Amino acid sequence: MRAPDRRTALRAGLAVLGTAAASAGLAGCSDGKGTGAAGSAAPDTPNPATPAGPVSPSSPASPADPAPPSSRAPAPDEVDHAGTGRAQVALTFHGDGDPQLAQALLKEAEAGQARLTVLAVGRWLGEHPEMARRVLDGGHELGNHTENHVDISRLSPSAAFTEIQACAARLQKLTGSPGVWFRPSQTQHADAMLVEQARRAGYRTVLSYDVDPLDYEDPTAAQITERLLAAVRPGAVVSMHLGHQHTVAALPAVLAGLKSRGLAAVTASELFS
């Protein structure tokens, strides 16, 4: 399977964002301590100004004509499952932890022809800036998981915005884009305050998830695989974590299980396009 052009994948996320399924109410992600957790609502392309020309007397403007309706549906606040009906799932990863484990996991994904979405903690990219290009150059997607992975839902609106914006700025500096997706830290779902702050930072939709194998609790690789495959279905968004050895060990069996069901592991932007 050929990895798509990254810019195409990022732009695809903007067209997105269809129906989101109800969430399963699972646990939020880990705090990243010891181990290890993106998009841009690319700005709308401005329409070039049309030079004024002479008005034809045979085709006068009709002020009574209503303006054409917008063909662009409002973006949902949050998505956790794609309703496209395609046999695809998104494996999303909290981007933090030992970079060697992250490299090993990306290598396993690429061997299995999977494209992942890494929602990076800005602090992690500050310590390991080479990981930003490594993720993108492997055909994967990179997003925003706050700067410091604090409990962002407990922050004031201005402090939450600072967390999101700081990571966005770091992504922009390292890759030329803040990415399409933002996922809040230490909570599965965004409240209205977080949605507002994410949009202020340029993210149209928050990316949640509906499958959580709890790999950050370091169960065995077999347990991670069993939990994930028992819950996954077409359109699923799976939450996993870089920086955990058992997650790396589980990935080949996870990918084999998905393939046996005809499910392709694609980026979040591809899933919601």
Side-chain angles (χ1 to χ4, degrees), residues 140-240:
H140 312 291
E141 185 167 22
L142 192 61
N144 183 327
H145 197 33
T146 75
E147 179 66 10
N148 294 294
H149 204 263
V150 295
D151 187 351
I152 193 169
S153 62
R154 293 180 177 272
L155 299 181
S156 67
S158 62
F161 174 75
T162 297
E163 275 288 316
I164 301 168
Q165 180 59 28
C167 186
R170 197 183 292 279
L171 289 165
Q172 180 75 44
K173 180 179 179 180
L174 291 172
T175 71
S177 168
V180 173
W181 302 103
F182 165 70
R183 174 173 290 167
S185 47
Q186 299 197 39
T187 180
Q188 182 180 1
H189 295 293
D191 59 17
M193 182 275 286
L194 289 177
V195 170
E196 180 181 357
Q197 302 317 312
R199 288 184 169 166
R200 283 183 63 201
Y203 299 95
R204 295 182 66 215
T205 298
V206 173
L207 180 63
S208 183
Y209 51 88
D210 64 342
V211 176
D212 186 355
L214 304 177
D215 64 324
Y216 60 85
E217 295 180 347
D218 288 323
T220 67
Q223 288 172 317
I224 294 170
T225 303
E226 180 180 357
R227 291 172 182 177
L228 192 158
L229 294 178
V232 76
R233 63 193 190 283
V237 180
V238 182
S239 173
M240 301 178 80

Side-chain angles (χ1 to χ4, degrees), residues 90-104:
L91 302 181
T92 67
F93 287 80
H94 161 122
D96 201 349
D98 183 344
Q100 292 188 356
L101 288 177
Q103 295 269 16

